Amino acid sequence: MINEISKLLEYQQADLKVEAEEKKVKSSNERKTANLMKQRYELAVEERKKLIARRDEAEKEIAAAQAEVEKLTSLADINRVQNAPEDTDALKKLLADVDKLTSSLTKLENKLNKVSADVEANEKKINEYASVANKSREEFNTNKAEYEKILAAVKPEIDRLKAERDKLEKGVNPTFLAKYKALKKNKIVPTAPLNDRRCGGCHMEMPSFTVSKALKNGYCECENCGRIVYVE
């Protein structure tokens, strides 16, 4: 069993070497900048879509308002010129109707002006977002190309380390290997040494029975963090 633990630890060392090399590339400024530019580009494109939708809706409102303005203007002109009655009461009613139409006309014209201003402001923002999107895309492409050069330069070394790791993996106890990979998937370093009755990973003191098991078999499982705790 101790020999199997040794094989697992040897495999872990090889696995950590692969991880370290990949991390160097992933943490490069070129990759970080490329990802940032990608996010900025996607955000700008999405915001531009929203603004275009708002602009299209505003233009529909403008068209509807203009049609209503023309209708009210025409109606007011007809009532003023063609249908002016001689009867005083009828004339008062006509004037009241004209005032009402004029008030409605004013409100619609104000709405038309506001919507037009919104459209104009949106057009400016749309162009700004388009400019940001284009610039972000250019910077993304530049940094992506630089990142790919860095990756290409280190890929042979990463492939070599992976080959060594995969060769060692074949000799690892399947149960240990499954446990190792499950823990690593949860961002936990899978193994830890036994340090004075404590797990070397989470530092929790382990029960006497568990410690005795570790001393006998060369390893145990930490009841707190789940790590494979080995005796050095």
Side-chain angles (χ1 to χ4, degrees), residues 28-222:
S28 67
N29 289 332
E30 289 79 7
R31 185 174 186 271
K32 289 178 181 178
T33 304
N35 286 337
L36 178 62
M37 290 303 107
K38 181 182 179 184
Q39 292 170 8
R40 189 175 295 176
Y41 169 77
E42 291 173 348
L43 177 63
V45 169
E46 188 61 30
E47 288 300 316
R48 185 171 179 270
K49 285 181 180 178
K50 291 178 183 177
L51 287 173
I52 288 174
R54 284 168 57 188
R55 181 197 63 189
D56 292 345
E57 189 63 30
E59 287 178 346
K60 289 179 182 178
E61 288 187 38
I62 287 176
Q66 285 175 333
E68 192 65 19
V69 166
E70 290 174 4
K71 177 182 175 182
L72 291 175
T73 302
S74 175
L75 186 57
D77 288 342
I78 290 172
N79 283 333
R80 281 196 186 99
V81 179
Q82 297 180 359
N83 298 320
E86 296 179 1
D87 182 77
T88 303
D89 292 337
L91 181 59
K92 287 180 180 179
K93 184 178 182 304
L94 174 61
L95 291 174
D97 290 342
V98 170
D99 287 342
K100 190 181 294 184
L101 287 171
T102 302
S103 177
S104 297
L105 181 59
T106 301
K107 289 179 182 178
L108 281 170
E109 287 176 338
N110 289 337
K111 180 180 180 181
L112 179 59
N113 291 334
K114 183 179 182 303
V115 173
S116 297
D118 289 343
V119 169
E120 186 176 342
N122 277 352
E123 286 288 355
K124 185 178 179 181
K125 288 182 180 178
I126 287 170
N127 292 332
E128 288 175 357
Y129 276 120
S131 177
V132 169
N134 290 333
K135 185 177 179 181
S136 297
R137 181 172 55 191
E138 289 173 4
E139 291 188 31
F140 166 76
N141 289 333
T142 299
N143 283 278
K144 182 172 180 286
E146 290 300 317
Y147 164 69
E148 287 174 347
K149 286 181 184 177
I150 294 172
L151 181 60
V154 300
K155 189 175 185 301
E157 177 63 9
I158 291 175
D159 288 344
R160 184 186 70 79
L161 292 172
K162 282 183 176 180
E164 289 182 5
R165 180 196 62 187
D166 294 346
K167 184 178 179 181
L168 291 170
E169 182 178 306
K170 294 176 183 178
V172 178
N173 181 305
T175 302
F176 284 161
L177 186 62
K179 179 71 174 175
Y180 177 94
K181 291 186 175 182
L183 287 166
K184 191 175 179 186
K185 190 177 290 185
N186 292 325
K187 309 297 182 185
I188 296 174
V189 178
T191 69
L194 177 64
N195 293 331
D196 191 25
R197 299 175 58 86
R198 294 179 182 274
C199 168
C202 68
H203 308 296
M204 289 291 290
E205 185 172 351
M206 294 188 289
S208 298
F209 172 77
T210 305
V211 174
S212 298
K213 181 180 177 183
L215 294 173
K216 178 182 178 182
N217 299 326
Y219 84 99
C220 66
E221 183 176 317
C222 177

Side-chain angles (χ1 to χ4, degrees), residues 7-23:
K7 288 180 179 180
L8 176 64
L9 294 176
E10 189 178 2
Y11 167 76
Q12 178 176 254
Q13 287 302 313
D15 189 35
L16 291 175
K17 286 180 181 179
V18 172
E19 192 175 85
E21 286 300 316
E22 289 179 333
K23 189 175 181 179

